[in-house]
Amino acid sequence: MLLVELRSSKLNTQKTNLAFTDVLTLVPTPIGNLEDISKRAITALLEAELIFCEDTRVTKKLLQLLSQKENLQFPCNDFKSFHSHNEKQVLKSLSIEDFKKNIVYVSDAGMPCVSDPGASLVQFCIDNELEYVVLPGANALLTAFAMSGFEQTEFSFYGFLAHKGKERHQKLTQVMQSPILSILYESPHRLVKTLEEIKDIDENRTIFLVKELTKLYEKSYKGSSKNIYEKLKDENIKGEWVIVIEHAKTTGENLELSDIENLDISPKTKAKLIAKMTGKNVKEIYNQLI
């Protein structure tokens, strides 16, 4: 393994000397506290010839703040928007020749590709055998997990739930039935609604909440879903939130869909049970069964 790593000379040199040459670098940015920017991230931004941004205004503001704080000048003046609404168009316009320069991608805050754009840009590099580097850095998901105090080391990350409808119900049902920890992001506008839905499914489930990670008004809560809902339901909710949800506790063996499908009961009752387990529409399941 060591021999293989040493032969990957270009990337090895970059990681050792903090130099980025003709490579795409995915740079995580602070999620609140500017002190969390790394030396490697600053070097990549200093050497960038083109910066893809989730929002060019946010990135330019970040560079302005870093310039003031670190007494540096970031020479790049080529900023291009790359976000979930235009990434397909941007990728179609790119050629391998475009990557014969130092390119940086940053999302608005935190780690690219984690509930943020960037994965399609990485896949473009993989498909075209182009060099790319992903720098480690600030991330709300892992920070909240470490803060939560849950000892279970397995978890699933669901990002933001759909705002409403069947998709939201199905995903939340999956979360609440999960045998491992589940982690969600939530906006201030929908936090109370999400807490109420969790409480209605299992009011005794332990959850951990944290808002405004690394910022001045960072605050966390841990307790039963019912108690936390009661505490926050009438509050003026602000900031971005992370929710860590305790796994579902089961006794005996887990019930599988096949167990219900093989039961000698009416299709209507069977459809209701399957819908309860999966969050799917009862009528659709009933039509499939008959």
Side-chain angles (χ1 to χ4, degrees), residues 40-168:
R40 289 181 72 198
I42 289 175
T43 299
L45 290 166
L46 283 170
E47 298 183 355
E49 298 169 272
L50 165 63
I51 300 179
F52 283 119
C53 321
E54 185 177 2
D55 187 324
T56 57
R57 296 165 299 179
V58 172
T59 302
K60 288 176 181 178
K61 180 65 175 178
L62 172 65
L63 295 184
Q64 180 187 347
L65 292 172
L66 288 173
S67 294
Q68 296 168 356
K69 181 180 182 300
E70 303 290 339
N71 194 26
L72 295 169
Q73 289 298 320
F74 294 90
C76 182
N77 56 15
D78 191 1
F79 297 84
K80 290 187 178 178
S81 177
F82 187 91
H83 50 71
S84 57
H85 300 295
N86 76 345
E87 59 184 323
K88 290 182 180 179
Q89 293 172 281
V90 174
L91 288 171
K92 286 180 181 178
S93 71
L94 292 177
S95 70
I96 294 176
E97 293 297 313
D98 293 321
F99 285 79
K100 290 185 177 179
K101 63 176 76 172
N102 296 340
I103 301 177
V104 161
Y105 174 72
V106 293
S107 53
D108 288 348
M111 195 73 181
C113 309
V114 181
S115 201
D116 277 325
S120 59
L121 201 53
V122 170
Q123 189 60 48
F124 181 89
C125 289
I126 293 171
D127 292 341
N128 293 281
E129 299 183 351
L130 298 167
E131 300 281 14
Y132 69 96
V133 178
V134 179
L135 304 188
N139 175 257
L141 161 66
L142 293 178
T143 305
F145 171 68
M147 289 179 67
S148 70
F150 289 115
E151 295 185 9
Q152 191 178 18
T153 56
E154 289 183 287
F155 64 83
S156 291
F157 174 58
Y158 292 88
F160 289 93
L161 295 174
H163 295 179
K164 57 185 178 180
K166 184 171 69 173
E167 183 184 353
R168 178 182 176 88

Side-chain angles (χ1 to χ4, degrees), residues 179-196:
I180 62 177
L181 293 175
S182 298
I183 303 179
L184 308 174
Y185 286 165
E186 193 52 276
S187 72
H189 314 294
R190 286 182 293 276
L191 179 73
V192 171
K193 175 186 176 183
T194 300
L195 292 177
E196 183 177 21

